[in-house]
Amino acid sequence: MSQGEVWELSGDRLVEVLATLASPHRLRVLAALTDGRTYVSQLARDLGISRALLQVHLKKLEKAGLVTAHLELSPDGKALKYYEATPFSLHLTPDVVAVAATTLSTAGDGDAAPKGNS
Amino acid sequence: MSQGEVWELSGDRLVEVLATLASPHRLRVLAALTDGRTYVSQLARDLGISRALLQVHLKKLEKAGLVTAHLELSPDGKALKYYEATPFSLHLTPDVVAVAATTLSTAGDGDAAPKGNS
DNA sequence: GGCTCATGCCAACTATTATTGGCATACGCA
DNA sequence: TGCGTATGCCAATAATAGTTGGCATGAGCC
């Protein structure tokens, strides 16, 4: 299950996604959401972390497009923010990396000299 | 080409690899190496970055197992440290992440409460 | 010997992230 | 009204990464 389409990413986006996934907390959050959707406070309790912290990570995950959120009214009228994992499929190989690297904008990172520099 | 076997990674290792790849510099370095092996100083010139900086990134890449190094003597006796990219294939999906998350040791990151989420 | 090129490493500084605590708002309910 | 729960956000403080410059070593070459 959770078979998404293979992602096409620009270098910048790839870096963003990788950076987002490269965190134990976010990995756990994503795992928990893959397991089923929940709302923030509940998730924070499940993972044993503070809401403030969780929210930061959720925002980063959302920004990277790995999770989506939507408000929902609980039966007793409370506004709950439910998050759920976005299916994705990212096949990483040296070639993929090589291609992505050519599309890096990376402002301030110093543009490398054009290839063919032998 | 560069078809490696699919990697099996523990959560910790996954985080390390992802964190290593999540950098424009390292992405470029890896790309350059995929393009062909080279030695440090040359690579630094190609990429237009300082050797000190490049070395740090190379070390991180090497530690993550993404590149390998070996000394080689140039025809004129200079010791050159050649690096080359390691073939790899990492297929990322929510499920893979979920599994990896269960194997996270993440000391100091606060062990999450056991699953069984509702 | 003096110059060039390659490696290695460190100390110091800057830039980013990660994390904590607290505070404000909104809604239902006894 | 006072309590409990949910969200949102910010300022301040850790904790990590990323970068720079310089300096030391070893080996050909003029």
Side-chain angles (χ1 to χ4, degrees), chain A:
Chain A
M1 8 182 119
S2 61
Q3 270 307 261
E5 60 212 274
V6 174
W7 279 6
E8 284 255 344
L9 302 173
S10 69
D12 295 326
R13 192 137 198 77
L14 177 61
V15 169
E16 181 184 23
V17 172
L18 292 178
T20 301
L21 289 175
S23 151
H25 274 156
R26 289 190 290 269
L27 234 44
R28 287 208 199 86
V29 169
L30 201 48
L33 290 178
T34 299
D35 214 52
R37 52 201 278 280
T38 342
Y39 57 96
V40 186
S41 291
Q42 182 57 51
L43 189 50
R45 279 189 293 264
D46 288 352
L47 298 173
I49 62 178
S50 71
R51 288 200 320 293
L53 179 56
L54 177 57
Q55 279 185 325
V56 172
H57 288 309
L58 281 172
K59 274 184 185 167
K60 199 154 191 175
L61 282 165
E62 186 175 20
K63 191 177 170 199
L66 295 169
V67 304
T68 56
H70 48 95
L71 286 176
E72 208 163 298
L73 278 259
S74 69
D76 47 320
K78 300 275 181 60
L80 308 182
K81 190 167 190 179
Y82 274 84
Y83 273 93
E84 58 186 304
T86 296
F88 65 88
S89 178
L90 183 52
H91 198 172
L92 250 20
T93 64
D95 290 329
V96 170
V97 169
V99 172
T102 66
T103 67
L104 281 172
S105 65
T106 322
D109 216 350
D111 213 308
K115 298 297 179 54
N117 172 22
S118 81

Side-chain angles (χ1 to χ4, degrees), chain B residues 39-41 45 51 55 59 81:
Chain B
Y39 57 97
V40 186
S41 290
R45 279 189 294 264
R51 282 191 308 298
Q55 279 185 327
K59 274 185 186 167
K81 190 166 190 179

